[in-house]
Amino acid sequence: MKLTCRKQQRTMCAQYCISFADVEKAHINIRDFVHLTPVLTSSILNQVTGRNLFFKCELFQKTGSFKVRGALNAIRGLIPAPSGKPKAVVTHSSGNHGQALAYAAKLEGIPAYIVVPQTAPNCKKLAIQAYGASILYSEQSDESRENVTKRIMEETEGIMIHPNQEPAVMAGQGTIAMEVLNQVPLVDALVVPVGGGGMVAGIAITVKALRPSVKVYAAEPLNADDCYQSKLRGELTPNPYPPETIADGVKSSIGLNTWPVIRDLVDDVFTVTEDEIKYATQLVWERMKLLIEPTAGVGVAAVLSQHFQTISPEVKNICIVLSGGNVDLTSVTWLKQAERPAPYQSVFV
C-alpha cells in the first residue's frame, strides 16, 4: 500500500534526526535573511548532455555559498534559549561553513571561533576574519579538526555548531529543495555535491516528502568517495585518510546523522575524477560566466560523466545545485594541469 505524503513525513520523523516539518520551520526562520537564489540554464550544456539542465545558483547566496542557510537556522534556534545568548559558538570548517557561521553569529552579537585546516583557501580564511570571527588552525584530518574544536569549546564555553551533522544545519540546507520544487515544477532529479552530507540529506528529506518520484543524486570526487563506498557496502564507511581533491568543500566524510538519510533516500551516488571536476568548473566559468568554486563543479561533472548517461532518458529535467562561489583566484594554475576528459572532447571552451 502506498503511503500518503503525511504518513511518509511521520515515518521520516521517526527514522531520521530531522523531518520535513523541521525544514518548513527553517524556511520561516531564515527566509528574511537569505536570498532566493536564481535558477539559470545553458543551451550548450543541454546540447552536450541531451537533457534540460537547471542550475540552482547558491554561489549568489549570502557569504557565497548555501552554508548560510544552515548556519542561520542553527544560530536563530539558540536565541530564544531561557539562559540567553551563548557565550560563543564554535565550529570546524573547510571554509564555507566557517564564513556562514561567522556571518550568522555577527548578526546576533555572538563571538564565533572557527577551526580551519591550514590548507583552506586564503579567500575563505580572509572572509571568516572579515565577518569578525576568530580563526584557529588544525591539520587536515577530521580527528585533528575535532580535537582542536573540543579544546576551543572548553576554553570559550562555546556551543558547537557542526558543519553538517547538526540537525538545525541539515534542516536549513533542505530549504534549497523547497525553492527548487517551486522554481522548476517539472524537475525530475536534483544533483547535489556531498561532503559531510548535510545539504544532500536536507534536500532528500524535503524532496521525498513533497515529491517522492523526484530523484536525488549525490556527487563526490573519486578521491573522496566515502558516500559511494557507504552506499555500496550498506554501512557508514568514512574516508580512511584525508583526501586530496581540488574540491575542498567536500573533503569531509558523511556522518552518523546524515548517513541514514543518504542510505534510504538518496537514489544514487556519482563519483568524478579530478580532471572531470576541473573541466566542468572551467566549462561553467567560460560558457555560463558563473565563477563557481570547484566543489560546485562536482555536480556538473557528474551530469556530464559517462556514468550519468546510464540514467533513463525519462529523467529529463535535472537541477544541479551550484553550491558556492568562493574561489581562491591565486590557485587557478590547475587550469593547465589536466587533460580534457573524454566526455568533454566535443565541448569547445
Side-chain angles (χ1 to χ4, degrees):
M1 183 175 68
K2 197 170 184 179
L3 290 174
T4 65
C5 187
R6 190 171 298 278
K7 285 182 179 178
Q8 284 176 328
Q9 289 178 33
R10 284 203 299 268
T11 302
M12 287 184 193
C13 189
Q15 287 179 319
Y16 312 120
C17 69
I18 64 167
S19 68
F20 176 58
D22 297 310
V23 180
E24 288 183 303
K25 183 179 178 182
H27 173 66
I28 294 170
N29 282 344
I30 71 173
R31 62 186 175 189
D32 294 334
F33 301 90
V34 298
H35 297 310
L36 173 59
T37 52
V39 172
L40 302 181
T41 59
S42 168
S43 58
I44 185 65
L45 292 181
N46 288 353
Q47 179 184 333
V48 170
T49 60
R51 304 178 196 260
N52 300 321
L53 304 186
F54 301 86
F55 298 86
K56 178 62 169 168
C57 293
E58 287 294 288
L59 70 158
F60 295 142
Q61 189 52 268
K62 291 185 178 181
T63 74
S65 85
F66 74 95
K67 289 284 192 177
V68 75
R69 296 172 181 268
L72 278 168
N73 190 47
I75 289 290
R76 291 185 62 76
L78 295 173
I79 302 309
S83 57
K85 292 182 181 180
K87 291 183 178 180
V89 289
V90 184
T91 196
H92 54 77
S93 168
S94 60
N96 283 345
H97 176 68
Q99 290 181 64
L101 189 67
Y103 171 78
K106 185 177 181 179
L107 289 180
E108 300 295 342
I110 302 171
Y113 296 84
I114 315 297
V115 177
V116 299
Q118 294 278 4
T119 54
N122 285 331
C123 66
K124 296 183 180 182
K125 291 186 283 191
L126 291 171
I128 290 169
Q129 292 173 318
Y131 288 125
S134 299
I135 285 190
L136 304 108
Y137 293 102
S138 71
E139 301 301 321
Q140 287 193 62
S141 70
D142 288 345
E143 182 181 7
S144 175
R145 287 189 189 192
E146 290 166 3
N147 288 340
V148 175
T149 301
K150 183 178 179 181
R151 174 173 61 81
I152 300 304
M153 287 174 62
E154 292 172 353
E155 292 176 0
T156 63
E157 299 182 35
I159 293 176
M160 171 65 175
I161 307 293
H162 197 281
N164 45 65
Q165 302 305 305
E166 166 60 46
V169 169
M170 295 167 62
Q173 321 307 28
T175 61
I176 296 169
M178 293 182 67
E179 294 175 8
V180 168
L181 293 177
N182 285 325
Q183 292 171 303
V184 192
L186 298 180
V187 68
D188 296 312
L190 282 83
V191 178
V192 186
V194 60
M199 174 166 57
V200 75
I203 284 175
I205 287 285
T206 305
V207 168
K208 298 305 182 180
L210 295 177
R211 296 270 299 280
S213 63
V214 172
K215 303 293 185 183
V216 177
Y217 300 127
E220 67 182 347
L222 183 62
N223 288 0
D225 68 343
D226 62 291
C227 186
Y228 174 81
Q229 294 296 335
S230 297
K231 288 280 277 187
L232 184 67
R233 301 178 187 188
E235 61 183 11
L236 185 61
T237 309
N239 291 310
Y241 46 81
E244 291 292 331
T245 174
I246 192 171
D248 63 277
V250 287
K251 288 184 175 182
S252 57
S253 298
I254 59 175
L256 293 174
N257 282 346
T258 52
W259 163 236
V261 181
I262 292 168
R263 179 193 61 207
D264 298 345
L265 303 183
V266 170
D267 294 281
D268 205 348
V269 182
F270 294 86
T271 60
V272 288
T273 67
E274 294 300 290
D275 281 353
E276 288 176 316
I277 297 168
K278 291 172 183 178
Y279 277 105
T281 301
Q282 183 182 359
L283 191 63
V284 172
W285 287 1
E286 297 191 355
R287 286 296 182 177
M288 297 188 69
K289 318 305 178 188
L290 297 176
L291 192 64
I292 60 169
E293 59 188 270
T295 299
V298 172
V300 182
V303 174
L304 289 166
S305 70
Q306 291 179 327
H307 184 194
F308 203 88
Q309 294 173 19
T310 63
I311 296 294
S312 168
E314 293 180 0
V315 183
K316 188 72 174 176
N317 301 317
I318 299 171
C319 182
I320 303 168
V321 180
L322 299 180
S323 53
N326 293 315
V327 180
D328 187 352
L329 294 175
T330 63
S331 70
V332 295
T333 52
W334 56 258
L335 282 173
K336 298 180 180 180
Q337 295 174 353
E339 295 182 2
R340 187 183 301 274
Y344 300 83
Q345 294 294 339
S346 62
V347 183
F348 297 95
V349 296

